[in-house]
Amino acid sequence: MARSGGKNNVLPGFTPALGYTIFYLSLIVLIPLSALFFKTATLSWDGFVAAVTAPRVLASYRVTFGASLAAAVINAFFGVLVAWVLVRYRFTGKKLIDALVDLPFALPTAVAGITLASIYSQNGWLGRYLEPHGIKVAFTPLGIAVAMVFIGLPFVVRTVQPVLEELDQEIEEAASCLGANRWQTFRRVLLPTMLPAILTGFALAFARAVGEYGSIIFIAGNMPMVSEITPLLIITKLEQYDYAGATAIATVMLVVSFLMLLCINLLQKWSRRFAE
Amino acid sequence: MQAGKLTQRSEGKGAITEPAWVRYLLITAALAFLALFLLMPLAAVFVQALDKGWEAYLEALKEPDTISAIRLTLITAAVCVPLNLFFGIVASWAIAKFSFRGKSFLITLIDLPFSVSPVVSGLIYVLIFGLQGWLGPWLQAHDIKIIFAVPGIVLATVFVTFPFIARELIPLMESQGREEEEAALTLGASGLQTFFRVTFPNIKWGILYGVILCNARAMGEFGAVSVVSGHVRGSTNTIPLQVEILYNEYNYAAAFAVASLLALLALVTLAIKTVSEWKLQQSISVAGKER
């Protein structure tokens, strides 16, 4: 796999290929994204701060990040469980289940949104059993977290699964020979090996949940200060022709996305080093 | 391959597996979680779509607004997928077959649309082409509509589906190295011949995989399209937006009927994805043996 430098590479087409890549990337992604920062730069600093720290906006951050965090924690736990079961055990229908794990990637978010809202609403399949016990899911922050669990579900499973598959079982044999019981082996040997992958999946699920819109708005109820997510607030501002406000909040969201991307890249580097 | 063998081996050994009751407990817990969060929503789409019987189901799909939404969604995907396919192939050729500085930074930039909220993805196009935007006044003077019209929907969809094919092909082509292409060139093949006869057969399953995921997202995108579409019934509504409108009008049976089309698309996508993954694995292990 050692690759020689550009000089003795005989393959043709490098310059046009790279040129087109950069051209199309700039046209579709970089220039439009920079528009957001240029537009923000035209706002006054005080106006920007006022727009992104208004009480309703702060409440939307709390709802969005709080629910995303809760959903990512649930996904980290159950993601490891599902990955473990899929890699280590045999049962009927395993291949089918394995394929279905990616459903949240393939199912359009609007479809997920109306479906979850109908399941957890008062007369829904689950809502009718939960509401008499005082558990309201639809139209509350809890519902937002449920939608986020759905869309984030594949991330942890798909990052942990390959690590578990490649794990050398001799390590576990060694641990067992040295007198560790199964739980100790899991906690002391397996869990640390899986940790970079778990954290990567956790961060991916969290990042996805923070920006999510379609699957949430139907189940959220969208009450200002209570169950209004930040992406929805951007749309609300746009519909009121408050472009400056929408842009300012979008900039905050974009900066958060960039920070998350940076974290995820660092985590992936760490897990690659771990694997070697 | 090897993972399968290891799993089988582990079944027999007590030291490195769990007692049977723990295994059953874990399997049950995992399946219960998946049933609750995956299977139940999937089943609910179809049950509620057919709530009022087949006739009402077909009637909802024959609605003129729904037909035009389907048409717009197909047009959008038909523009987006080829554009991003061409980009994906070109970018992965440059990135996987050559070495240059800033390569990993370029890959990060290509991945960028994945980490941007769909709503923000739509907003940036409003800021450029909208009435208040950079090009807004000029576009209005020339009577060109982009925002609240089809071009805006296509642009926003191209943005959100931008990385799918490239990020699938880059690692695949990197893993295949350059030796085969170099051999073909040495034997006198032209650059394009080398690509179509040597590279393409090696990456065709990867291309299918990327295309199918790109298509699913292009047809299902909601947030970004919702910002730029303007929701004009019968003209700028895609299938997901039509689902939203019907749902908000409390026309649940029709909303779920239209949604079931997208759910079917998701199931077909998963099936093709699984097959191409399997083929990909096969071709990689065959190539590994030959080498």
Side-chain angles (χ1 to χ4, degrees):
Chain A
M1 275 302 289
R3 217 169 304 124
S4 44
K7 274 181 209 155
N8 44 15
N9 190 340
V10 296
L11 299 192
F14 174 65
T15 313
L18 188 68
Y20 180 75
T21 303
I22 292 172
F23 165 74
Y24 188 72
L25 177 73
S26 310
L27 196 68
I28 299 292
V29 179
L30 300 182
I31 295 173
L33 275 181
S34 67
L36 189 66
F37 289 109
F38 280 113
K39 179 83 184 172
T40 309
T42 63
L43 308 177
S44 71
W45 176 250
D46 291 339
F48 176 80
V49 172
V52 300
T53 57
R56 189 171 162 189
V57 182
L58 288 179
S60 85
Y61 298 149
R62 266 197 298 278
V63 171
T64 309
F65 291 102
S68 300
L69 194 65
V73 169
I74 294 173
N75 274 329
F77 179 78
F78 282 99
V80 172
L81 175 67
V82 170
W84 178 268
V85 165
L86 285 176
V87 173
R88 289 297 172 100
Y89 304 145
R90 280 188 298 180
F91 52 92
T92 36
K94 182 166 127 170
K95 284 235 165 82
L96 190 70
I97 300 282
D98 196 358
L100 267 181
V101 166
D102 283 328
L103 182 73
F105 285 159
L107 193 70
T109 53
V111 179
I114 64 167
T115 311
L116 291 171
S118 78
I119 290 177
Y120 289 96
S121 72
Q122 208 174 351
N123 302 315
W125 290 0
L126 289 175
R128 79 176 70 153
Y129 301 109
L130 294 174
E131 292 220 350
H133 294 94
I135 307 171
K136 268 183 77 77
V137 178
F139 316 128
T140 68
L142 190 58
I144 298 176
V146 166
M148 287 171 168
V149 170
F150 175 82
I151 52 146
L153 195 152
F155 288 103
V156 179
V157 181
R158 292 302 185 226
T159 48
V160 173
Q161 218 174 357
V163 175
L164 267 179
E165 270 165 4
E166 282 180 11
L167 212 66
D168 198 348
Q169 292 208 325
E170 278 167 18
I171 304 171
E172 288 164 68
E173 281 166 14
S176 148
C177 289
L178 294 171
N181 67 28
R182 201 53 199 150
W183 174 242
Q184 283 170 327
T185 309
F186 180 79
R187 230 179 56 93
R188 300 282 187 79
V189 180
L190 295 176
L191 205 56
T193 320
M194 291 191 284
L195 192 63
I198 297 174
L199 286 176
T200 307
F202 174 86
L204 285 169
F206 179 78
R208 173 72 205 265
V210 166
E212 179 57 20
Y213 173 72
S215 57
I216 296 172
I217 50 160
F218 297 99
I219 199 172
N222 307 327
M223 273 195 308
M225 308 300 292
V226 180
S227 60
E228 188 176 51
I229 54 166
T230 313
L232 177 70
L233 202 54
I234 296 176
I235 289 200
T236 312
K237 299 257 178 208
L238 266 185
E239 280 169 355
Q240 296 162 346
Y241 302 103
D242 179 6
Y243 286 86
T247 309
I249 301 172
T251 305
V252 172
M253 295 288 290
L254 197 62
V255 169
V256 171
S257 316
F258 286 165
L259 291 177
M260 290 304 302
L261 191 66
L262 191 69
C263 280
I264 292 164
N265 276 348
L266 291 176
L267 277 169
Q268 272 165 347
K269 262 191 204 133
W270 181 39
S271 46
R272 258 198 299 273
R273 217 178 35 218
F274 222 83
E276 277 161 14
Chain B
M1 302 284 116
Q2 211 168 7
K5 262 183 238 154
L6 285 175
T7 322
Q8 278 178 1
R9 196 151 48 101
S10 74
E11 302 284 294
K13 295 201 174 181
I16 52 167
T17 190
E18 297 73 36
W21 69 268
V22 177
R23 271 182 298 183
Y24 288 123
L25 188 75
L26 292 180
I27 292 176
T28 312
L31 291 185
F33 174 74
L34 292 177
L36 192 67
F37 278 94
L38 286 185
L39 293 180
M40 191 184 271
L42 188 61
V45 178
F46 293 106
V47 169
Q48 299 193 60
L50 295 170
D51 198 27
K52 295 198 172 133
W54 273 102
E55 292 208 353
Y57 178 77
L58 292 175
E59 210 53 49
L61 297 184
K62 277 193 231 149
E63 187 73 24
D65 287 346
T66 304
I67 303 265
S68 83
I70 294 174
R71 193 182 304 126
L72 180 56
T73 294
L74 291 177
I75 292 171
T76 308
V79 177
C80 289
V81 175
L83 279 177
N84 286 337
L85 172 61
F86 182 71
F87 165 75
I89 292 174
V90 171
S92 55
W93 179 266
I95 291 171
K97 302 287 183 190
F98 299 89
S99 44
F100 54 93
R101 285 181 58 173
K103 190 193 254 192
S104 62
F105 183 62
L106 185 61
I107 296 177
T108 307
L109 288 182
I110 290 176
D111 267 347
L112 214 52
F114 274 160
S115 46
V116 176
S117 168
V119 171
V120 177
S121 313
L123 175 74
I124 55 178
Y125 287 99
V126 174
L127 292 180
I128 293 182
F129 298 111
L131 264 186
Q132 315 263 323
W134 282 351
L135 301 176
W138 186 86
L139 289 170
Q140 203 188 21
H142 292 78
D143 206 24
I144 305 172
K145 268 191 90 92
I146 291 187
I147 297 305
F148 305 146
V150 177
I153 294 176
V154 172
L155 271 175
T157 311
V158 170
F159 180 92
V160 293
T161 58
F162 182 87
F164 277 101
I165 298 171
R167 74 136 45 165
E168 193 49 49
L169 291 184
I170 292 167
L172 178 62
M173 277 167 78
E174 268 179 344
S175 75
Q176 285 164 345
R178 293 198 305 243
E179 289 91 344
E180 292 183 35
E181 281 85 359
E182 279 165 357
L185 286 164
T186 320
L187 293 172
S190 74
L192 279 180
Q193 275 176 327
T194 307
F195 176 78
F196 282 108
R197 301 279 188 80
V198 179
T199 313
F200 181 77
N202 280 335
I203 58 170
K204 59 178 191 242
W205 292 108
I207 289 180
L208 179 67
Y209 185 97
V211 163
I212 195 77
L213 290 183
C214 178
N215 178 65
R217 183 73 194 268
M219 291 191 167
E221 177 53 28
F222 177 73
V225 170
S226 164
V227 174
V228 294
S229 111
H231 304 268
V232 184
R233 287 186 86 135
S235 84
T236 63
N237 260 353
T238 59
I239 304 179
L241 296 177
Q242 180 69 10
V243 169
E244 183 196 21
I245 288 191
L246 291 169
Y247 186 84
N248 286 343
E249 285 171 348
Y250 302 104
N251 194 350
Y252 293 140
F256 279 101
V258 179
S260 74
L261 293 181
L262 292 172
L264 279 177
L265 171 75
L267 290 179
V268 172
T269 302
L270 286 185
I272 299 178
K273 180 178 165 293
T274 310
V275 171
S276 54
E277 244 164 10
W278 185 62
K279 289 278 183 189
L280 213 59
Q281 217 101 62
Q282 243 178 4
S283 63
I284 288 172
S285 66
V286 168
K289 265 178 219 150
E290 279 169 0
R291 211 161 274 171

